[in-house]
């Protein structure tokens, strides 16, 4: 349970930044080199590398260096855990909203009966 | 677009903590007082209040004080935005995986034809 909570902490922490989300967005299309990943961003390579390090430490990506090229790829498990947590919350909230709607409807029908 | 990115920053930031996620989990069942929300946690009220302030500042909950009781309720829009972003990434990644599987299958069939 603690591991599950730590996974969610890490996933949500990593995603709380637009650069890191854009990197994830790029990696959904397949692995990419650091150079390729850094290209769209107007920031120095050291700053960009820090974002990659956060993503790697938080378990959302992994990387491998072959020769002088470091290639990054997505780890989908953490992303999936975060999505399924959010999906669960929405289902619970939706159930609550449906119940409230049923209650209001029943009350309106009853109050209609009383009036008739 | 900037607003959308800020919303996602805020939502993911707020969710990167187990106490804050537990509060959201409780509020999916309906509004609750601060006292009720704090009860399950073994932490001082000032620390707990800081978590509520983060959730409120990041737009995941709102609160209203009537007399001496402050009641919190969920704002579902931010949670929905975060969920839909994650869902989109999964769809993109899934498409990529399917494409790869198709490619491998085609190659295997062709290599089978060549062998035959």
């Amino acid at each position: 349970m603690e591991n599950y909570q730590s996974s969610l902490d890490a996933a949500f922490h990593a995603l709380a930044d637009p650069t890191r989300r854009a990197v994830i967005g790029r990696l959904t299309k397949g692995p990419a080199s650091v150079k390729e990943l850094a290209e769209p961003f107007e920031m120095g390579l050291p700053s960009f590398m820090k974002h990659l390090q956060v993503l790697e430490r938080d378990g959302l990506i992994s990387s491998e260096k072959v020769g002088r090229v470091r290639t990054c790829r997505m780890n989908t498990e953490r992303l999936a855990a975060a999505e399924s947590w959010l999906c669960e919350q929405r289902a619970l909230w939706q159930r609550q909203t449906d119940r409230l709607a049923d209650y209001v409807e029943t009350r309106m029908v009853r109050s209609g009966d009383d009036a008739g």
Side-chain angles (χ1 to χ4, degrees), chain A:
Chain A
M1 194 61 185
E2 204 174 305
N3 274 352
Y4 170 68
Q5 291 296 343
S6 310
S7 294
L8 290 178
D9 287 0
F12 288 129
H13 170 260
L15 295 174
D17 177 276
T19 303
R20 296 199 291 267
R21 285 196 301 276
V23 169
I24 292 293
R26 167 58 191 83
L27 292 178
T28 56
K29 294 174 196 157
S33 69
V34 169
K35 197 184 160 204
E36 200 182 336
L37 288 172
E39 218 168 39
F41 300 101
E42 287 174 4
M43 70 171 79
L45 194 61
S47 304
F48 185 73
M49 289 303 289
K50 276 187 196 155
H51 284 302
L52 288 189
Q53 281 156 14
V54 171
L55 284 168
E56 193 154 13
R57 193 194 62 209
D58 284 343
L60 268 77
I61 69 169
S62 56
S63 75
E64 194 189 12
K65 197 168 182 177
V66 177
R68 295 177 66 179
V69 177
R70 181 170 289 279
T71 302
C72 300
R73 65 186 67 239
M74 257 179 79
N75 295 338
T76 54
E77 295 79 4
R78 291 245 155 134
L79 219 59
E83 188 194 5
S84 103
W85 185 87
L86 277 166
C87 183
E88 207 178 298
Q89 304 316 308
R90 191 182 31 83
L92 288 167
W93 167 77
Q94 190 64 52
R95 203 179 307 163
Q96 182 61 19
T97 312
D98 291 348
R99 237 183 247 150
L100 190 65
D102 285 350
Y103 173 77
V104 170
E105 202 173 326
T106 312
R107 294 277 294 195
M108 282 174 74
V109 168
R110 275 195 200 154
S111 110
D113 287 350
D114 290 349

